[in-house]
Amino acid sequence: MRRPAPDRGRTLLGPALQLIHTGQAPTRSALTGALDVTRATAGAVTGELEALGLITVDSRPAGGGRGRPSHRLALAEDGPVVIAAQIHADGVSVSLAALGGQLLEPLHLPLPAATDPVRLLRAVAEAGAGLARGSRRRCLGIGLALPNPVTEPDGTALAALHFGWPSGTPVADLFAEEIRKADLGPKARTAFPSAIANDANLAALAEHRHGAGRGSRHLLLVTSGHRGVGGALVIDGRLHTGSAGLALEVGHLTVDPQGRPCPCGNRGCLNSETDPDALFAAAALTPDPALPLFGQARELARATDPAARAAVDHVVDRLGLGLAGLANILNPDRIVLSGLHLDLLAAAPERLAAVVAERCLWGRSGRVPIVPAQVRHAGLVGAAELAWEPYLVDPQAVAEV
Amino acid sequence: MRRPAPDRGRTLLGPALQLIHTGQAPTRSALTGALDVTRATAGAVTGELEALGLITVDSRPAGGGRGRPSHRLALAEDGPVVIAAQIHADGVSVSLAALGGQLLEPLHLPLPAATDPVRLLRAVAEAGAGLARGSRRRCLGIGLALPNPVTEPDGTALAALHFGWPSGTPVADLFAEEIRKADLGPKARTAFPSAIANDANLAALAEHRHGAGRGSRHLLLVTSGHRGVGGALVIDGRLHTGSAGLALEVGHLTVDPQGRPCPCGNRGCLNSETDPDALFAAAALTPDPALPLFGQARELARATDPAARAAVDHVVDRLGLGLAGLANILNPDRIVLSGLHLDLLAAAPERLAAVVAERCLWGRSGRVPIVPAQVRHAGLVGAAELAWEPYLVDPQAVAEV
DNA sequence: CTGACTTTGTGCCGCTACTGAACAAAACAC
DNA sequence: GTGTTTTGTTCAGTAGCGGCACAAAGTCAG
């Protein structure tokens, strides 16, 4: 009994909703087992979630084994939604999102002409508000994924490379203010909560709940995109972002003492050795400056000609050293690769696994499976998770206002 | 209500005992505030802990401010004890330990002639049992610190360099068996629990609860000793040992691309750049093979002649690079240095801080204080914490059998 | 010294979220 | 049809905590 406090409600409500949300409890009896409670409790909990309009209990047979079939638990088709948003180098993505990790209607907008913090955040808020007004479902909050580190708990953004935002911009506060001013329609909560976080962290959360990280207890995600290499760690279902939100800045791990110079001052950082530029450099090619670099690099990683394969092998070896270094420090039980690293994994899975295994201390005990990311629009899905978070902790919050 | 389960007892009992144990709740009213409960609850909890014989409530005035003075909470003078033990390169240490992090009578024994797992563990078990028999206080368990990585949750030891134990030796099981066979005297529990863990991890736990890590939420400990460089991480008061207990193997982080070769195959690993040998190499000296290397290195770190200072600076620079790399990945709010690294910190604190700050990404937001370890016999104190752990989670367990 | 004030400890009641047992319901096996 | 197995529900019972009222033990002002 961890401070139940009369205003808190049933403690099992949150864990139960999370299990249904992540598809781990498709039936009432599965929920009973997963929560390790009596059937009576599971019944009370599902009844309450149904009363909150979050789930539906289907009494039709679920088929299968002996005994009375268990009722299927489904997320309510007309339940509440949240707004998920993401700012990236190419533009802004927004979508409504229901429980279950599904994006209802992902929308991709170009960047507005002015990308100063207030105007860009206003554009995000207004795009999200438009979706909320256009839906007949109740809207409960908004989550925003940003392409830069976000400090905790104050929510300032550091080093927004693409937009020239000053380091320390109080994005959380600015965004909350723009949300407050936006017209969210009659279906929205009066005190409309907003939250921001880093996109790599949110992608890891999305993979853990709905993708390649399901069931993992120590999940490491490493991604390579426009902004360089990013990492994120999910421990026991919760993001580990360090003491100030700045953990898993893995881009400057040394992976090649004789490598290319990095702006950080060192040589051979994971960033400068495994990003799109590094792949082109390894292939002795120059990308077409008229086309997006990232897409060209992904194509190059998938190419089958010997020169491309050799370049992939070269970069994969360095990626492997970086992953082994991280595995020795963090000892994850799974590594999920995303972005360009996903293509590198697809192009040379055995080679990557071999390099990591060779450098992993403690041999078999330290070995870790490396798998490709599965979630489309993981940043957006993660932003939705962020917006859902308060309700996954305490589902009774959906009934307030 | 997180599964109170009638057999579990009061949920606040554990947190309350832990606060008293770590000195964070010297009075009843401090406990009320720290637990964020009503006075009535705090009263019931302290009453129950007193009934269990773990604490005493002193009704004498505590002096100070206005109002009725609060009762002082003290750990019972005749309360139960645990056995703490540690195996290191030089021998075996054992002690009885009460709550509060105090070792009652630390005893250091030389290594027995035969250091195969069973015989060494038997020697530890018998030394501990002797202390238990010699005390009039009830003995509740034993914790053992080992100088090698320990896998979780099965408790096997990997790569016991000094003793040639085969990797994968099931130390937890073997030790439990030796404890079962030892004569613990009439005061011991019938089912006498034993636990093992890695010494660096236990030292970090000790520093967090009773030393330089108090109050830290993300504590990184880095130590350099006979066995090379070790690390440990304590997050929110709990050890983070990764998915298999092998996290924080930080010895092979690259800190000098042009550095000395390391047995791992790379050059310039944190291990080979900041261990005792590295300090002597930087000073262009050779240690006296007749004397213990570690002590000579500590002396060299404290020497004031220019050659020694230059060697210290050289090694400190590399240690700083390693700490910065770890800080960028883990984002701790405090770094505690122990072993030879403590002496390096003492010799050049500003230089170390400057190197770390320079390489820490995100400038001020990422900066982290680096402090020296404070706990004497931290491995033993940590082993005591390990033995106390079940009772700090559920103090009612002391009443069972 | 006296009384007001402040803070702390305690007894009592009630609430809430669970457990456990008994029973009913819905499938399959024969 | 009758057993068997598994699931959902109903109904007490209970442990742990909050809230309140009151008593206790000190300080402070006069």
Side-chain angles (χ1 to χ4, degrees):
Chain A
M1 299 212 190
R2 209 136 151 223
R3 306 211 58 233
D7 52 319
R8 282 247 197 128
R10 219 174 270 271
T11 314
L12 291 177
L13 226 50
L17 182 58
Q18 186 137 350
L19 286 166
I20 302 168
H21 169 59
T22 56
Q24 294 179 71
T27 66
R28 250 219 193 85
S29 84
L31 186 67
T32 309
L35 290 176
D36 192 22
V37 295
T38 60
R39 293 194 299 274
T41 305
V45 166
T46 51
E48 204 155 339
L49 289 176
E50 199 177 13
L52 288 168
L54 293 170
I55 68 169
T56 54
V57 180
D58 190 346
S59 51
R60 286 176 307 178
R66 279 210 292 247
R68 174 176 173 177
S70 188
H71 294 171
R72 293 203 73 81
L73 302 176
L75 295 163
E77 301 257 327
D78 56 349
V81 292
V82 296
I83 309 168
Q86 181 171 18
I87 296 175
H88 38 85
D90 306 328
V92 170
S93 301
V94 286
S95 177
L96 293 183
L99 283 171
Q102 300 302 318
L103 300 174
L104 297 189
E105 34 183 333
L107 195 64
H108 303 281
L109 310 170
L111 281 178
T115 57
D116 62 282
V118 169
R119 272 186 268 191
L120 186 44
L121 294 171
R122 182 171 301 162
V124 172
E126 288 176 354
L131 291 181
R133 285 196 308 271
S135 170
R136 50 182 180 69
R137 296 168 76 167
R138 209 154 68 95
C139 194
L140 294 178
I142 183 166
L144 172 61
L146 290 172
N148 19 59
V150 175
T151 62
E152 287 172 4
D154 50 340
T156 68
L158 303 182
L161 299 178
H162 298 294
F163 314 118
W165 293 1
S167 208
T169 303
V171 176
D173 294 342
L174 295 175
F175 189 51
E177 177 65 14
E178 294 303 324
I179 287 292
R180 201 186 57 74
K181 289 194 283 193
D183 175 18
L184 291 153
K187 295 274 195 312
R189 289 185 55 151
T190 50
F192 197 80
S194 67
I196 66 168
N198 168 259
D199 54 5
N201 281 328
L202 292 178
L205 201 57
E207 291 292 339
H208 182 267
R209 296 197 180 161
H210 307 291
R214 255 184 300 228
S216 166
R217 294 197 52 210
H218 291 76
L219 178 69
L220 171 64
L221 176 130
V222 177
T223 181
S224 170
H226 308 271
R227 191 176 56 95
V229 175
L233 185 67
V234 178
I235 303 176
D236 286 330
R238 289 171 43 196
L239 269 173
H240 172 74
T241 55
S243 64
L246 303 176
L248 275 300
E249 278 298 333
V250 299
H252 298 283
L253 213 63
T254 302
V255 294
D256 182 359
Q258 278 84 44
R260 310 167 66 214
C262 175
C264 82
N266 263 338
R267 302 186 77 88
C269 290
L270 186 60
N271 242 337
S272 53
E273 293 295 321
T274 68
D275 70 355
D277 278 320
L279 184 59
F280 274 99
L285 293 172
T286 44
D288 184 344
L291 296 174
L293 173 63
F294 186 60
Q296 293 180 77
R298 300 195 73 163
E299 266 181 48
L300 178 54
R302 275 176 279 204
T304 52
D305 57 292
R309 299 290 308 183
V312 166
D313 284 353
H314 181 268
V315 176
V316 158
D317 285 351
R318 273 134 197 88
L319 175 59
L321 289 181
L323 295 182
L326 288 172
N328 286 331
I329 294 172
L330 301 170
N331 189 215
D333 58 15
R334 202 177 304 172
I335 298 178
V336 173
L337 295 185
S338 171
L340 180 60
H341 289 172
L342 186 153
D343 299 292
L344 294 171
L345 171 63
E350 300 87 1
R351 188 181 184 102
L352 182 59
V355 175
V356 173
E358 190 199 333
R359 291 287 176 153
C360 256
L361 305 170
W362 321 125
R364 206 161 37 83
S365 306
R367 205 157 293 176
V368 50
I370 304 173
V371 299
Q374 289 178 355
V375 177
R376 284 172 55 90
H377 307 308
L380 268 185
V381 173
E385 294 299 319
L386 184 64
W388 277 118
E389 201 59 39
Y391 309 101
L392 292 172
V393 170
D394 176 18
Q396 290 188 326
V398 305
E400 292 161 16
V401 182
Chain B
M1 298 211 191
R2 211 138 152 218
R3 308 215 53 238
D7 53 319
R8 282 249 197 126
R10 220 174 270 269
T11 314
L12 292 177
L13 226 50
L17 183 57
Q18 185 137 354
L19 285 167
I20 301 167
H21 169 58
T22 56
Q24 294 178 69
T27 66
R28 252 219 190 86
S29 83
L31 186 68
T32 310
L35 290 175
D36 193 20
V37 294
T38 60
R39 292 195 300 272
T41 304
V45 166
T46 51
E48 204 153 341
L49 289 176
E50 198 176 14
L52 288 167
L54 293 170
I55 68 169
T56 53
V57 180
D58 189 346
S59 51
R60 285 178 309 176
R66 279 208 292 245
R68 175 175 171 177
S70 189
H71 294 171
R72 294 202 73 82
L73 302 176
L75 296 164
E77 300 259 327
D78 56 349
V81 293
V82 297
I83 310 167
Q86 180 171 18
I87 296 175
H88 39 84
D90 305 329
V92 171
S93 300
V94 286
S95 177
L96 294 183
L99 283 172
Q102 299 303 318
L103 299 174
L104 297 188
E105 33 184 332
L107 195 64
H108 303 281
L109 312 169
L111 280 178
T115 57
D116 62 281
V118 169
R119 271 185 269 191
L120 186 44
L121 294 171
R122 181 171 303 161
V124 172
E126 288 175 354
L131 291 182
R133 285 196 307 272
S135 171
R136 48 179 184 69
R137 298 167 72 166
R138 208 155 68 95
C139 193
L140 294 178
I142 182 167
L144 172 61
L146 289 172
N148 18 59
V150 175
T151 62
E152 286 172 4
D154 50 340
T156 67
L158 302 183
L161 299 177
H162 298 294
F163 313 118
W165 293 1
S167 208
T169 302
V171 176
D173 293 342
L174 294 175
F175 189 52
E177 177 64 15
E178 294 305 323
I179 287 294
R180 200 187 57 75
K181 289 194 284 196
D183 173 18
L184 291 154
K187 295 273 195 313
R189 290 186 53 148
T190 51
F192 198 79
S194 68
I196 66 167
N198 167 260
D199 53 6
N201 282 327
L202 292 179
L205 201 57
E207 291 292 341
H208 181 267
R209 296 196 181 162
H210 307 291
R214 256 185 299 227
S216 167
R217 295 197 51 210
H218 291 77
L219 178 70
L220 171 64
L221 176 131
V222 177
T223 181
S224 171
H226 307 271
R227 190 178 56 96
V229 176
L233 186 66
V234 178
I235 303 176
D236 285 330
R238 289 171 43 197
L239 269 174
H240 172 74
T241 55
S243 65
L246 304 176
L248 276 299
E249 279 298 332
V250 299
H252 299 282
L253 212 64
T254 302
V255 294
D256 182 0
Q258 277 85 46
R260 309 165 69 212
C262 176
C264 82
N266 263 338
R267 302 186 78 87
C269 290
L270 186 59
N271 242 339
S272 52
E273 293 294 323
T274 68
D275 69 356
D277 278 321
L279 184 59
F280 275 99
L285 294 172
T286 46
D288 183 344
L291 296 173
L293 174 62
F294 186 61
Q296 292 181 77
R298 301 194 72 164
E299 265 180 50
L300 177 53
R302 273 176 278 201
T304 52
D305 58 292
R309 298 291 309 182
V312 165
D313 284 352
H314 182 268
V315 176
V316 159
D317 286 349
R318 273 133 197 89
L319 175 60
L321 289 180
L323 296 182
L326 288 172
N328 287 331
I329 294 173
L330 301 170
N331 189 215
D333 58 15
R334 201 177 306 171
I335 298 178
V336 172
L337 296 186
S338 171
L340 180 59
H341 289 171
L342 187 154
D343 298 292
L344 294 172
L345 170 64
E350 299 88 0
R351 188 180 183 103
L352 183 60
V355 175
V356 174
E358 189 198 336
R359 291 287 176 154
C360 256
L361 304 169
W362 320 127
R364 206 162 35 84
S365 307
R367 203 157 297 176
V368 50
I370 304 173
V371 298
Q374 289 178 354
V375 178
R376 283 172 57 89
H377 307 306
L380 268 186
V381 173
E385 295 300 317
L386 184 65
W388 276 118
E389 201 59 38
Y391 309 101
L392 291 173
V393 170
D394 176 18
Q396 290 189 325
V398 305
E400 292 161 18
V401 182

